Amino acid sequence: MIPNQELAKEIIAKRVAKELKDGQLVNLGIGLPTLVANYVKEGVNIIFQSENGMVGMGPAPEKGKEDKDITNAGGVPVTIMPYGAFFDSSMSFALIRGGHVDVTVLGALEVDQEGNLANWIIPGKMVPGMGGAMDLVVGAKKVIVAMQHTSKGQPKILKKCRLPLTAKGEVNMIVTELCVLEVTDKGLVLKEIYKDTTIDEIKSLTEADLIIPENVKIMDI
Amino acid sequence: MNKVVDIEKIKPLFKNGMTLMIGGFLACGTPEKLIDLLINLNVKDLTIIANDTSFPDKGIGRLIVNGQVKKVIVSHIGTNPETGRLMNEGKLEVELCPQGTLIERIRAGGSGLGGVLTPTGVGTIVEEGKQKIVINGREYLLELPLRADIALIKGSIVDEFGNTFYRGTTRNFNPIIALAADTVIVEAENIVKIGELRPEDAMTPGVLVDYVIKGGE
């Protein structure tokens, strides 16, 4: 367990950032996934998409330099890089569904060993809506779930999602503060673990069956 | 050729029970002066088609808070707690639609298409009640077109004929909803004379626009 929430998020964001390759078009979800942009190595140029209508999204503006007409999908002022472009929502989702986005990074309420994802509704409790998540998960070439391993100590990586799905069988990789899992035809393969945890601890905090190869690496961040 | 009118002139267009499409993404690119007008007129039982229900104090969110809306067709309501509250009390019908599907349903409605086929939502509750069609071995949902009585648009620079340029990320749903309504009203931050907006910069062709009103900067 990593009780320090901020440290947990930093580990996740740093590890996801390592997955992004030079020149890729990437969409980061709101919340934890947004932090990934802070840890992309110098010399690796990632083009960020914001589904409200731009590619080439840049960092937050300096205080006092916000432009009300340039916001991200969370409604927060951002900047655009010199190579960026603005467009309408139809173009934005053509990029997404059409397979032009290389990687999407999203949070999850639940994810399961078949690569199913639930992250848009808790019936009767919380109904934010799916926004662009369903299109992103179906359309992006690689889907990375970036989330804390458990919620209030309860597993979020399940044998089968119980909440209504965002998409069926579309998740490729799960990154938590404890481990990196790859979704395969045979199930979830434990690829890497964080230096301060053990395989037994991960098993105890995961409901899903895990395939554990002989050479599980220590997460390099 | 000059479609610029005083806001008083468009008041009679709005009626209770109408379906409106409203541009904007979390209020960025939403015509706030037209929202003010709807609040002043206090038209009721509106059906609103838009990306989201914004925040309680901005854009479409203000219409929700003011109790003027009967139904919304949107992709997201999470930033406006009032939408969720009214929905749970049975006072507001909420149809949630994936964002990419929603914009294509509107585009279909405005482009003479009978619907669109999308893989988004297959295997989720979004597919309930919808026809599934298999093409080249992949399943798609048939999503039906959407249209409205009036579309309310926000333009950054608009010429007197209605040719519209959108700055930054204000474009979002605006140019698409301009296709899909019987009447199209543009709220312009800046109005220029015909000829002053380059034809290449007309992101919404003025032929789609019925009225232009002057908005705030």
Side-chain angles (χ1 to χ4, degrees):
Chain A
M1 293 272 279
I2 312 282
N4 181 337
Q5 300 274 312
E6 291 313 306
L7 175 63
K9 289 177 190 171
E10 187 182 320
I11 294 166
I12 297 164
K14 278 185 174 168
R15 181 58 191 85
V16 173
K18 288 199 66 181
E19 281 305 303
L20 308 182
K21 308 280 182 288
D22 194 55
Q24 283 186 325
L25 179 58
V26 174
N27 186 298
L28 301 177
I30 302 297
L32 198 166
T34 308
L35 300 177
V36 171
N38 300 338
Y39 298 105
V40 175
K41 277 217 183 101
E42 228 170 282
V44 178
N45 294 304
I46 305 296
I47 303 153
F48 290 107
Q49 188 212 23
S50 189
E51 68 267 24
N52 55 317
M54 83 171 110
V55 290
M57 181 168 57
E62 287 173 44
K63 225 174 162 50
K65 292 204 171 162
E66 296 88 352
D67 183 333
K68 68 170 174 51
D69 289 345
I70 303 177
T71 59
N72 67 13
V76 177
V78 289
T79 55
I80 185 159
M81 305 299 280
Y83 54 79
F86 295 118
F87 33 76
D88 64 48
S89 296
S90 180
M91 170 64 87
S92 195
F93 281 86
L95 291 176
I96 289 167
R97 271 187 324 265
H100 307 283
V101 172
D102 294 295
V103 182
T104 184
V105 184
L106 303 94
L109 296 165
E110 295 174 350
V111 60
D112 72 27
Q113 62 196 40
E114 291 164 21
N116 298 318
L117 168 69
N119 75 349
W120 71 279
I121 183 172
I122 303 175
K125 275 193 184 164
M126 185 189 77
V127 188
M130 66 291 276
M134 285 192 175
D135 300 282
L136 279 160
V137 175
V138 166
K141 285 186 202 144
K142 182 169 183 173
V143 177
I144 302 177
V145 167
M147 62 169 198
Q148 289 183 261
H149 202 92
T150 57
S151 171
K152 294 170 188 156
Q154 294 303 306
K156 296 171 73 176
I157 305 171
L158 309 176
K159 290 182 196 297
K160 192 106 195 158
C161 286
R162 295 183 266 272
L163 293 170
L165 297 184
T166 304
K168 203 175 163 196
E170 297 283 354
V171 176
N172 302 109
M173 183 181 243
I174 304 164
V175 178
T176 77
E177 72 279 23
L178 298 181
C179 66
V180 177
L181 298 166
E182 192 179 296
V183 184
T184 70
D185 300 345
K186 297 188 178 66
L188 296 180
V189 178
L190 184 63
K191 303 290 283 188
E192 301 169 22
I193 67 170
Y194 186 62
K195 63 181 171 63
D196 295 339
T197 187
T198 62
I199 290 176
D200 282 341
E201 184 184 55
I202 290 167
K203 277 186 179 167
S204 75
L205 297 171
T206 307
E207 185 200 276
D209 298 321
L210 297 179
I211 299 167
I212 306 191
E214 276 180 27
N215 56 337
V216 179
K217 290 189 208 146
I218 298 293
M219 206 190 280
D220 176 22
I221 49 171
Chain B
M1 302 293 269
N2 189 340
K3 298 171 186 172
V4 180
V5 295
D6 190 89
I7 199 159
E8 292 295 319
K9 173 100 189 286
I10 59 171
K11 280 184 174 174
L13 298 175
F14 297 97
K15 308 240 165 19
N16 292 341
M18 271 189 157
T19 297
L20 306 179
M21 288 181 181
I22 304 178
F25 192 113
L26 292 176
C28 178
T30 295
E32 295 284 355
K33 198 168 171 184
L34 290 170
I35 301 285
D36 289 341
L37 177 68
L38 291 172
I39 288 172
N40 289 338
L41 292 171
N42 204 23
V43 280
K44 300 274 192 193
D45 298 325
L46 299 173
T47 294
I48 293 189
I49 301 169
N51 180 60
D52 55 76
T53 57
S54 188
F55 306 96
D57 60 341
K58 280 186 181 169
I60 295 158
R62 298 193 286 138
L63 299 172
I64 303 283
V65 170
N66 205 35
Q68 294 176 247
V69 185
K70 181 183 69 179
K71 178 178 180 180
V72 291
I73 304 175
V74 292
S75 75
H76 199 267
I77 62 171
T79 53
N80 188 343
E82 192 65 3
T83 308
R85 192 181 68 78
L86 291 169
M87 177 180 71
N88 290 335
E89 288 177 6
K91 292 175 182 163
L92 175 65
E93 186 186 342
V94 175
E95 180 182 332
L96 288 166
C97 181
Q99 204 165 109
T101 301
L102 180 57
I103 197 69
E104 287 306 304
R105 290 176 69 192
I106 296 168
R107 196 178 65 83
S111 313
L113 300 175
V116 287
L117 296 174
T118 177
T120 303
V122 169
T124 76
I125 57 178
V126 167
E127 74 174 27
E128 284 171 12
K130 288 173 189 159
Q131 195 179 339
K132 268 198 219 177
I133 295 171
V134 176
I135 293 171
N136 293 333
R138 189 174 187 188
E139 280 187 321
Y140 295 84
L141 302 183
L142 173 62
E143 294 278 4
L144 300 178
L146 289 171
R147 283 193 62 86
D149 298 306
I150 301 179
L152 304 179
I153 286 170
K154 162 79 180 289
S156 305
I157 304 172
V158 184
D159 75 15
E160 290 168 340
F161 187 63
N163 289 305
T164 300
F165 170 83
Y166 307 96
R167 270 197 84 229
T169 52
T170 67
R171 206 180 321 179
N172 53 68
F173 274 49
N174 280 302
I176 315 298
I177 64 173
L179 289 162
D182 297 340
T183 302
V184 176
I185 305 169
V186 182
E187 174 181 323
E189 267 191 8
N190 298 289
I191 297 175
V192 297
K193 296 217 171 306
I194 291 171
E196 287 182 18
L197 186 76
R198 293 194 317 159
E200 291 89 338
D201 294 334
M203 296 168 177
T204 291
V207 289
L208 293 171
V209 174
D210 297 291
Y211 301 97
V212 178
I213 66 136
K214 179 75 178 83
E217 295 278 323

